[in-house]
Amino acid sequence: MQPYNAQLIWTEGVPLSESFGDFYSSRVDAIAESRYVFIDGNQITQRAALHPATRLTIAESGFGTGTNLLCTLTLLNELSSTSHYGLHFISTELYPVTYNDLHSVLSTQPQLGHFAHQLLSQYPPVIKGMHRFIFDHGRFYLTLCIGDTTESLARINTPVDAWYLDGFSPAKNPDMWSTPLFQQMARLSKPNTTLATYAAASFVRKGLIEQGFSIKKRPGFGKKRDMLTGQFQAATPTATASHTPWFALPELKRPEIEKPKTAIVIGAGLAGCATAEALARRGIKVQLIDQQDSICTEASGNRQGALYAKLPTLPTLGGEMHLCGLEYTLRLLKIYGCLDNQIASQCGVLQLATSVKEADRQQAISSGGYYSREVVSLVSAEEATKIAGTKIDHQALHFPRAGWVYPKGFCEALIKHEKIKLTLSTSITSLTQTTDKQWCVTDQNKQQHNADIVVVASAWHAKNFDYLNHLPIKPIRGQVSSIKASSMKASSGSATPQLNTVVCGAGYISPSMNGCYSFGATFDLHDQSPELREADHKSNLTMLSNAIPDFARTLPPIDEWQGKVGYRCSTPDYLPIAGPAPVFDEYIQRYAKLRKDKNWKFDNQPAPLHTGLYVNVGHGSKGLITAPLAAEHLASLICGEPSPLPQDISYALHPARFIIKSLIRRKG
């Protein structure tokens, strides 16, 4: 089901859904209703007071205007304004309200202002998928699943402690209260998981009982006669054989099991710095190690990277991850104050159609109805010229939320944390696990560094470690060119051209940063020379001339140009590798029958994974939109928390996927 923005009608100062003819909350007092029905109905106050150090996972059907989330966060903050309580709030919404409507609703609830401001600053357009929000620098998290509730829950594998059932009235929206939904709730519940809902319809009560919930009626809020509360009583279902047991992730730790205290992250590029930040935000001491004398020296060392997602004509898992990843990176940039036109700029991106094939593809994207106009719109050459501030001869896709990032500045902001220790000029020569399950890394000076876990984020250098030499990753050379804006010559007596937005064709160029324009980049699989080459400058000039010829004609001679060579780390399927490291030989042995039958049903034994060893590599040219989200995914796995990625995408990134593909193709 394709999500789209809800249309609201304001009645008596309360929003009403035009589609369902139902109010988003009580017309008497929305906050009091939320506290009575959902917080009190699930005994959240008592549970938080009795177990202040225990993580609580709440799942909600129907995000609406976020009142239940904000009331819960406000309550927990009142109970303790300093403790790291660890609430994870998962909510679903098929028809999210617009930013403006959300702002209007929340402006009437000033008592929720502290968290309402953070919600609004991170609120996305309608993009199907899971969106991770960070409140109070990691004290609380929201995962907003935009899409059908039942479909969204089917993509999650997170044990839930309490359910807020808050869809529109069962009489007006019966699809929201279906048996498949109740089945997903049961799958994700554990003994003593609670639920609460304002609804008291008999078919809702019966449906929940059939799935193993004991249900009680209690007086409803305001004029509502009854509401329901319940508790999951059924035994945990016996797991059936999975079709993909090899993609299993480490089981979510129970709250009483401590998360790691220390971590080593190898590689201080974008993936490594983002991983260090995500771990440190969770209270883990991180040693971030890099072989160079500075962070971000390779592909992450470019002056400017285009921050946008190239969209597929039809929805794909990769496309979903890229859009959700773009939004997550924007949240981090906002949280760390990086959207200052020095470290990053949300100036928009124009993706030009410089060929008939690309023009047809863009038309298909525009007419497909899968992407909101807030995300992308098709513009004419004339419209593109006005947006760019320089002459554009082609139609284009305009991404108004996109822009550019100075990766090193972004990374410096991410790792400025008391729990992150940066160790430079240190090359790791070996990686071993000790008998007490700790990891030991040895550097070129024979010095040893120890930690509970290790995350390898050293791009294609990851293959240098014996545990990871099976990964099919490779470096792809790229040269970026740069020129001083002051060296550009005016064209035909006009002023020196300006550029107001990122322009992409075969390559890209960003607006000037500190008086310089950066553009490129070449793509070379076969030559790994670190030297700047005039031939590559000429190649970048050709790409720029094909995209914006008038602008390109004003550039100074090539012998005045500067540039940088970097190496993207690429994978065969162009998706990152992010997850637990597989034990290669044991995978080959355990799943050998895949060579004869790819549909073989294996038992659900835990996949053979190296305990405490993780990977975050292979981001190619998309690292700005994939590395931070992959880092958040890894940190969630490591700490036993709900992931920001749905199961199918986490499987698509799993480090073992290439082992399995080789077995199925009879290559392993």
Side-chain angles (χ1 to χ4, degrees):
M1 298 178 69
Q2 188 63 26
Y4 57 83
N5 278 132
Q7 300 300 308
L8 272 57
I9 301 170
W10 289 83
T11 304
E12 303 175 30
V14 179
L16 174 81
S17 167
E18 185 177 72
S19 300
F20 295 99
D22 199 5
F23 288 96
Y24 275 84
S25 61
S26 167
R27 283 169 285 176
V28 177
D29 188 331
I31 292 175
E33 178 189 41
S34 176
R35 289 174 173 168
Y36 177 85
V37 175
F38 299 106
I39 292 175
D40 294 348
N42 281 289
Q43 299 181 311
I44 301 300
T45 305
Q46 297 92 318
R47 291 159 83 169
L50 285 172
H51 306 286
T54 300
R55 186 186 74 243
L56 185 67
T57 300
I58 296 173
E60 174 186 51
S61 60
F63 183 73
T65 59
T67 300
N68 294 331
L69 164 74
L70 297 175
C71 285
T72 304
L73 295 182
T74 301
L75 165 74
L76 296 178
N77 193 53
E78 290 170 352
L79 291 174
S80 173
S81 60
T82 58
S83 69
H84 197 283
Y85 186 76
L87 172 72
H88 283 259
F89 198 99
I90 301 169
S91 188
T92 65
E93 183 58 68
L94 181 57
Y95 307 115
V97 301
T98 65
Y99 174 90
N100 289 337
D101 283 335
L102 183 62
H103 186 276
S104 296
V105 172
L106 296 182
S107 66
T108 67
Q109 301 170 338
Q111 60 271 59
L112 305 179
H114 174 69
F115 293 109
H117 172 74
Q118 295 179 62
L119 173 63
L120 285 165
S121 70
Q122 301 181 64
Y123 196 67
V126 181
I127 296 172
K128 191 171 185 178
M130 290 168 61
H131 299 269
R132 172 60 55 87
F133 294 62
I134 302 168
F135 292 92
D136 283 3
H137 293 282
R139 286 184 65 213
F140 310 114
Y141 293 92
L142 163 67
T143 302
L144 177 59
C145 306
I146 297 181
D148 175 74
T149 294
T150 303
E151 290 178 6
S152 296
L153 294 180
R155 303 176 75 192
I156 292 173
N157 194 30
T158 295
V160 172
D161 297 299
W163 292 94
Y164 292 4
L165 299 187
D166 196 23
F168 288 121
S169 165
K172 298 181 178 181
N173 185 20
D175 291 344
M176 188 74 165
W177 306 85
S178 64
T179 296
L181 171 62
F182 301 151
Q183 289 172 338
Q184 290 299 329
M185 289 175 58
R187 181 180 68 85
L188 297 173
S189 295
K190 56 185 187 292
N192 300 320
T193 292
T194 61
L195 71 83
T197 177
Y198 69 87
S202 60
F203 83 90
V204 172
R205 181 174 175 273
K206 291 177 182 177
L208 290 167
I209 290 173
E210 287 175 358
Q211 299 305 321
F213 290 92
S214 64
I215 300 296
K216 294 180 181 179
K217 280 188 179 181
R218 59 176 288 192
F221 178 80
K223 296 181 180 180
K224 189 102 170 45
R225 185 175 67 182
D226 298 312
M227 60 168 279
L228 301 178
T229 62
Q231 195 170 64
F232 192 63
Q233 301 289 2
T236 304
T238 302
T240 56
S242 168
H243 290 293
T244 55
W246 40 83
F247 291 152
L249 300 170
E251 291 186 10
L252 290 180
K253 301 179 181 69
R254 297 313 313 143
E256 63 271 11
I257 300 177
E258 288 188 14
K259 63 188 174 187
K261 292 182 173 64
T262 57
I264 289 173
V265 177
I266 301 174
L270 182 56
C273 290
T275 301
E277 184 275 339
L279 293 171
R281 187 174 1 108
R282 289 165 167 83
I284 297 173
K285 290 183 178 180
V286 181
Q287 184 179 11
L288 178 61
I289 301 175
D290 198 276
Q291 63 183 347
Q292 303 295 338
D293 60 3
S294 175
I295 68 170
C296 299
T297 56
E298 298 202 12
S300 299
N302 292 339
R303 290 176 59 85
Q304 290 168 287
L307 179 69
Y308 90 112
K310 189 171 183 179
L311 302 178
T313 53
L314 298 174
T316 63
L317 291 182
E320 179 182 322
M321 182 191 179
H322 292 157
L323 273 180
C324 292
L326 168 63
E327 291 296 320
Y328 180 71
T329 297
L330 284 172
R331 291 187 194 104
L332 285 182
L333 289 168
K334 290 176 183 177
I335 288 170
Y336 285 96
C338 294
L339 289 173
D340 58 0
N341 294 318
Q342 298 296 315
I343 296 175
S345 173
Q346 201 172 1
C347 61
V349 169
L350 287 168
Q351 183 187 343
L352 308 188
T354 56
S355 68
V356 173
K357 181 179 179 181
E358 178 61 19
D360 291 342
R361 193 186 76 86
Q362 291 188 359
Q363 186 61 50
I365 287 174
S366 178
S367 60
Y370 298 110
Y371 307 110
S372 159
R373 285 186 62 83
E374 290 182 83
V375 174
V376 65
S377 60
L378 185 64
V379 297
S380 66
E382 293 75 19
E383 292 171 314
T385 296
K386 291 178 182 178
I387 293 168
T390 194
K391 191 173 188 311
I392 302 290
D393 296 327
H394 309 279
Q395 74 172 41
L397 291 177
H398 181 222
F399 298 81
R401 295 180 61 77
W404 61 262
V405 175
Y406 168 41
K408 185 176 181 180
F410 181 29
C411 287
E412 287 173 342
L414 291 177
I415 64 173
K416 191 177 180 181
H417 194 289
E418 63 181 3
K419 290 191 176 292
I420 297 176
K421 175 187 176 184
L422 179 61
T423 304
L424 297 172
S425 303
T426 301
S427 179
I428 301 303
T429 58
S430 69
L431 175 63
T432 56
Q433 190 171 29
T434 62
T435 54
D436 59 355
K437 298 299 182 182
Q438 275 234 326
W439 285 90
C440 175
V441 301
T442 304
D443 64 27
Q444 78 276 21
N445 297 319
K446 307 299 181 183
Q447 184 175 351
Q448 295 184 335
H449 311 264
N450 299 287
D452 296 331
I453 62 162
V454 170
V455 181
V456 178
S458 53
W460 55 277
H461 298 290
K463 285 177 67 75
N464 294 337
F465 298 114
D466 291 341
Y467 294 107
L468 304 174
N469 59 15
H470 59 86
L471 294 177
I473 50 180
K474 58 188 176 184
I476 299 178
R477 183 185 181 278
Q479 181 171 313
V480 175
S481 304
S482 62
I483 56 99
K484 293 181 179 179
S486 60
S487 68
M488 298 173 68
K489 55 185 182 293
S491 174
S492 303
S494 62
T496 303
Q498 299 293 313
L499 191 62
N500 301 326
T501 189
V502 178
V503 176
C504 297
Y508 73 93
I509 182 170
S510 299
S512 65
M513 170 188 163
N514 296 330
C516 288
Y517 284 104
S518 297
F519 54 96
T522 60
F523 191 93
D524 198 327
L525 281 166
H526 306 295
D527 188 341
Q528 301 304 320
S529 169
E531 302 298 323
L532 283 173
R533 296 191 297 224
E534 182 177 322
D536 287 347
H537 280 326
K538 289 180 178 178
S539 177
N540 287 337
L541 177 59
T542 298
M543 287 190 288
L544 190 63
S545 299
N546 290 338
I548 43 177
D550 284 7
F551 188 94
R553 279 191 285 269
T554 69
L555 300 185
I558 283 179
D559 60 11
E560 297 180 24
W561 293 15
Q562 296 180 322
K564 181 185 181 302
V565 174
Y567 301 91
R568 315 169 186 92
C569 178
S570 182
T571 67
D573 57 13
Y574 299 103
L575 287 173
I577 298 173
V583 183
F584 179 79
D585 291 340
E586 290 188 27
Y587 260 79
I588 295 295
Q589 181 179 354
R590 181 171 299 181
Y591 303 119
K593 291 180 180 177
L594 288 173
R595 291 192 182 102
K596 296 181 179 179
D597 183 0
K598 67 179 181 179
N599 296 314
W600 187 277
K601 289 187 177 181
F602 293 84
D603 58 35
N604 275 345
Q605 280 185 285
L609 303 171
H610 290 291
T611 304
L613 180 61
Y614 297 83
V615 190
N616 188 4
V617 299
H619 296 278
S621 59
K622 304 180 183 73
L624 282 170
I625 61 172
T626 59
L629 186 57
E632 180 70 5
H633 168 62
L634 282 181
S636 298
L637 292 183
I638 288 166
C639 295
E641 300 171 357
S643 170
L645 296 178
Q647 271 196 112
D648 46 8
I649 292 182
S650 75
Y651 289 174
L653 308 186
H654 200 292
R657 68 187 188 269
F658 301 107
I659 303 174
I660 299 303
K661 287 177 182 177
S662 292
L663 286 172
I664 291 173
R665 294 168 183 167
R666 300 179 184 179
K667 294 180 180 179

